[in-house]
Amino acid sequence: MAAQFLADLDALLAEASAAFSAAADGEALEAARIEFLGAAKGRLKAVQKGLGTVAKEDKPAAGKRLNEVKEAIETAFTSAKDRLESAGPAAAGGARFDLTLPGRPLRVGRLHPISQTIDELKDIMGRLGFTPAEGPEIEDERHNFEALNIPLEHPARDPLDNFYLAVAAAGAGTATAPPHQEHAAPLLLRSQTSTVQIRVMERQPPPVRIISLGRVYRPDAADATHYPMFHQMEGLLIDRHATLADLKSVLRMFATGYLGSDVHVRFRPSFFPFTEPSVECDYYWNDRWIEFGGAGMVDPNVLQAVGYDPEEVSGFAFGLGVERLCMRRHGITDIREFYKNDVRFLQQF
Ligand code: DAH
């Protein structure tokens, strides 16, 4: 019987070695290990039982051979394991996930730089007591021009300089006209946020202290500093004794709040139909004067247009370009970058 037992051992060793070296990954190797070396049902265990049938005088030699084969099978297993491990952790199966692999990036969305700027401007102006107000982007001529003291013959009303809506121009705009208008009136995309001054003053008595941040539209050809749609921050303060000095203080505090304490503010005389006197506001920052927008004391005609008494109240207003502020702050040199939807640009904010 010893001959059979020894033959079984040799066959087992050959099969096990072949199985271990054929294993292509950790899973296959583990299956082979269980098949041959498994503690309960492994084939080595089964063959080992045959030792009982070996004649007594042959037992020492058979037992020795059994131990040799057992060791040889274990060695074959270990070397197969080493082979797979040196091929890579995934193949070895011991570490199913590799902690050293770079993680899958979570794509977190973020606010557009202009939205972030708007939030920040609201925050700064909020600390100065200005509450955000909103108005429609589709406007009538009263709010975009007339109540702002911009008469019919004013060049700002040129149809070529504004986005008039075709439906209104065709006289079919009744459905979209504001409710207070009985007849179809021309509608346009607002060209300035000064419209919101009128809307706010129409619905509340003085005092007023608002800002309005939103889109405005002008048919300008896009270049590095122009875009047919951009954003403005409008400000309006109406009270009993508002002065130009107050305006300057507010704009200076705003500028230092947004750009830092090393900013200087300069007023240059200017003209806007809705302010008297009117100024152009420049900020000096990083060795340059940059024009940020217009401002002035609200013209008495505007106060009258909304039913305020110019003898009782006065006020100031300002309108600043949001893109310009954001460009200055971040060193952006082309306004078109904001609206290309290029993630490589947008990701930087
Ligand atoms: N609406 C003007 C523009 O778009 C900017 C402006 C100037 C707004 C003077 C004002 C102001 O409120 O007082 O160019």
Side-chain angles (χ1 to χ4, degrees):
M1 280 326 252
Q4 181 62 48
F5 178 67
L6 294 177
D8 286 351
L9 280 179
D10 288 345
L12 187 72
L13 174 57
E15 264 195 76
S17 307
F20 292 153
S21 51
D25 57 24
E27 210 171 307
L29 181 63
E30 177 63 5
R33 188 192 65 78
I34 291 169
E35 182 185 346
F36 291 98
L37 295 169
K41 296 187 187 146
R43 285 172 61 185
L44 178 65
K45 274 264 142 54
V47 172
Q48 200 174 339
K49 285 199 186 108
L51 187 60
T53 64
V54 173
K56 206 169 182 183
E57 63 274 23
D58 292 334
K59 266 210 175 117
K64 186 170 170 256
R65 181 65 190 145
L66 170 66
N67 281 335
E68 282 166 9
V69 167
K70 194 173 168 184
E71 248 170 63
I73 292 178
E74 276 163 0
T75 308
F77 170 74
T78 314
S79 66
K81 198 172 165 205
D82 290 348
R83 167 177 59 82
L84 290 177
E85 265 167 9
S86 63
R96 233 139 227 292
F97 44 60
D98 175 5
L99 292 176
T100 65
L101 279 177
R104 249 180 245 164
L106 260 189
R107 288 178 163 262
V108 182
R110 60 190 84 205
L111 289 177
H112 189 277
I114 292 299
S115 302
Q116 291 185 34
T117 306
I118 286 176
D119 286 349
E120 194 175 343
L121 301 188
K122 280 185 182 165
D123 208 53
I124 295 168
M125 293 308 292
R127 293 201 289 274
L128 298 176
F130 288 78
T131 318
E134 303 248 345
E137 289 179 22
I138 296 177
E139 267 295 7
D140 52 50
E141 293 189 296
R142 167 174 161 78
H143 292 88
N144 203 84
F145 300 123
E146 278 148 32
L148 286 164
N149 202 30
I150 306 175
L152 198 53
E153 64 281 2
H154 195 282
R157 292 179 69 159
D158 190 324
L160 292 177
D161 290 335
N162 292 283
F163 283 116
Y164 276 92
L165 301 196
V167 57
T174 340
T176 45
H180 68 273
Q181 289 190 332
E182 282 95 82
H183 59 278
L187 295 176
L188 70 159
L189 297 179
R190 68 181 178 195
S191 62
Q192 49 183 352
T193 45
S194 305
T195 53
V196 186
Q197 292 186 30
I198 304 302
R199 294 211 167 260
V200 168
M201 289 190 287
E202 276 174 344
R203 59 173 185 250
Q204 74 169 76
V208 174
R209 195 188 276 217
I210 58 106
I211 46 159
S212 187
L213 282 133
R215 297 190 180 108
V216 299
Y217 302 85
R218 293 177 195 177
D220 290 332
D223 62 23
T225 52
H226 296 86
Y227 206 74
M229 183 282 302
F230 60 100
H231 295 73
Q232 286 187 326
M233 175 171 80
E234 192 79 16
L236 175 69
L237 182 146
I238 305 282
D239 212 326
R240 286 196 175 275
H241 304 292
T243 66
L244 199 63
D246 298 329
L247 168 62
K248 196 164 184 180
S249 301
V250 165
L251 288 178
R252 178 180 292 114
M253 282 191 276
F254 165 73
T256 53
Y258 184 67
L259 293 172
S261 52
D262 51 344
V263 178
H264 299 271
V265 179
R266 170 173 85 178
F267 281 176
R268 279 178 295 119
S270 186
F271 175 80
F272 297 101
F274 33 90
T275 45
E276 181 58 38
S278 301
V279 293
E280 207 80 59
C281 177
D282 301 335
Y283 290 155
Y284 189 81
W285 192 65
N286 281 357
D287 308 324
R288 267 178 67 198
W289 285 106
I290 302 112
E291 185 190 316
F292 276 104
M297 301 306 293
V298 179
D299 193 289
N301 287 344
V302 173
L303 298 174
Q304 254 156 4
V306 295
Y308 284 11
D309 181 356
E311 301 295 324
E312 287 286 312
V313 292
S314 60
F316 60 77
F318 54 88
L320 311 178
V322 174
E323 278 80 354
R324 240 179 221 202
L325 285 165
C326 180
M327 286 166 78
R328 244 333 44 221
R329 161 95 161 256
H330 296 289
I332 300 164
T333 49
D334 193 325
I335 189 174
R336 291 169 292 192
E337 293 292 347
F338 289 123
Y339 304 112
K340 278 188 197 158
N341 271 346
D342 185 336
V343 185
R344 291 168 302 178
F345 171 78
L346 297 173
Q347 262 173 348
Q348 299 176 52
F349 300 90

